[in-house]
Amino acid sequence: MSATSDELRYVYAVCRPLDAPLAADLTGVGGVPPRQLNHEGLVALVGPVPARDFAEDPLRAHLEDLDWLSETARAHQRVIGALTSVTCPLPLRLATVFRDDSGVRAMLQDGAERFWRILDRIDGCVEWGVKVHMESPDHSSDNRSSDNRTSGGHSSDIRSSDKQSSATAGGEAPEKPLSGRDYLRLRRQQRTAQDEGWKRAEAFAQRLHEELSRHADDARLHAPQNSSLSDTPGRNILNAAYLVPRAHSEEFVELVDATKDEDAAGLTVELTGPWAAYSFTGDDVESGGGAGRSR
């Protein structure tokens, strides 16, 4: 096998020509610094990768290897993050590879119209992510009821908490379990309180999203995140992305901080970014179309 066929071209992103150089010590996948490949006004940031890892069959196997995948994703994001600090790139999918530079140029040529349309849309902007989480009543009561759930009993659930507290404080014997009818009534009251809590949380998230959208060029609502995939406990009420001019990012962050405590009891507002405009580079995203869900 020749030297050239031993290597493929890994493409990180497409962008305009850079106004400032990337950090000299920046490395990408495989620890190799990325380089710029120019074609008719567009730039692809590329790096060499071994065919033994990134050809179709070995790549398919590697994508099942979580350690390999995590390492590659970190290297990919490291380059995108560095690129975002100096321009507004269109990130490509993880492990986008071509046979050689000619294949990359052909990609730039064939996709030029789309690339320019998206680059014009995101020019001068970065993406900020905002999530609102509500603490689950079940989560908050885990310590109180874990023994109960294990044994299958209902004793701690069907006692009124204020009666338990007063009995303990007064040194009296605990109250006897409530009747079946009182237990059902208590459970209905708990469900009603939970429903009202969800409604208040959703109303807060809707107000926050509308306010933030007014201070962004575009906004996207993503599907709520599975709580098992998040470091923040509770139910994900809002999962949104906002396309914000870089020059206005400080004001946007201050706006999020200022609204975090508004009617936010039991809620957590999480701000992430700035990122490359991942949520605004798809073909289904058009200017002014920020209200629709896209994932």
Side-chain angles (χ1 to χ4, degrees):
M1 183 177 289
S2 67
T4 55
S5 62
D6 286 341
E7 288 186 344
L8 301 174
R9 296 295 180 268
Y10 188 108
V11 187
Y12 298 92
V14 174
C15 60
R16 302 172 186 273
L18 303 185
D19 294 328
L22 295 171
D25 59 350
L26 175 65
T27 59
V29 175
V32 179
R35 64 180 175 86
Q36 300 177 49
L37 191 158
N38 296 270
H39 181 73
E40 296 186 358
L42 289 171
V43 173
L45 209 65
V46 305
V49 290
R52 66 177 181 274
D53 289 325
F54 286 89
E56 184 175 357
D57 289 339
L59 178 59
R60 185 182 297 111
H62 277 313
L63 293 178
E64 301 296 326
D65 181 343
L66 292 183
D67 291 337
W68 185 94
L69 187 60
S70 296
E71 181 180 354
T72 302
R74 285 194 297 269
H76 180 96
Q77 182 54 40
R78 184 166 60 245
V79 172
I80 298 299
L83 193 57
T84 303
S85 69
V86 298
T87 189
C88 300
L90 191 170
L92 299 189
R93 290 179 182 272
L94 182 72
T96 296
V97 294
F98 293 87
R99 187 178 300 277
D100 51 26
D101 285 359
S102 295
V104 179
R105 291 192 183 92
M107 178 269 294
L108 293 174
Q109 180 71 38
D110 294 343
E113 181 179 353
R114 172 178 173 268
F115 293 148
W116 282 118
R117 184 175 68 251
I118 294 174
L119 290 173
D120 285 344
R121 180 193 306 151
I122 65 176
D123 189 34
C125 295
V126 292
E127 176 175 325
W128 289 93
V130 176
K131 296 177 182 177
V132 175
H133 301 270
M134 180 178 182
E135 182 178 354
S136 167
D138 292 337
H139 176 82
S140 63
S141 62
D142 277 348
N143 291 336
R144 296 195 307 270
S145 59
S146 58
D147 291 341
N148 230 25
R149 288 195 300 269
T150 302
S151 62
H154 296 289
S155 58
S156 65
D157 284 336
I158 63 178
R159 299 171 193 266
S160 173
S161 59
D162 55 346
K163 288 183 179 180
Q164 288 182 3
S165 299
S166 61
T168 302
E172 302 173 3
E175 294 282 341
K176 67 178 181 179
L178 300 177
S179 67
R181 179 179 299 175
D182 287 340
Y183 167 73
L184 293 176
R185 175 179 54 80
L186 180 58
R187 295 301 291 169
R188 283 196 297 270
Q189 291 173 347
Q190 291 172 341
R191 284 196 295 270
T192 298
Q194 290 175 15
D195 290 343
E196 291 175 353
W198 295 133
K199 289 178 182 178
R200 286 194 299 271
E202 289 172 348
F204 169 80
Q206 181 64 29
R207 291 196 305 272
L208 178 60
H209 175 61
E210 291 173 355
E211 177 69 12
L212 297 179
S213 296
R214 286 193 288 269
H215 292 79
D217 282 5
D218 204 352
R220 305 298 291 176
L221 282 172
H222 299 316
Q225 187 177 37
N226 188 320
S227 59
S228 65
L229 303 178
S230 173
D231 293 332
T232 304
R235 177 178 174 181
N236 183 209
I237 304 296
L238 175 69
N239 182 13
Y242 302 90
L243 186 68
V244 180
R246 194 187 299 270
H248 297 162
S249 283
E250 184 175 351
E251 293 92 329
F252 186 85
V253 172
E254 291 174 352
L255 179 62
V256 175
D257 288 340
T259 56
K260 280 183 178 181
D261 297 326
E262 176 192 349
D263 297 332
L267 302 179
T268 301
V269 180
E270 178 186 359
L271 174 69
T272 62
W275 309 107
Y278 288 97
S279 299
F280 305 92
T281 58
D283 290 329
D284 61 325
V285 181
E286 297 297 335
S287 297
R293 294 180 181 270
S294 63
R295 280 188 187 171

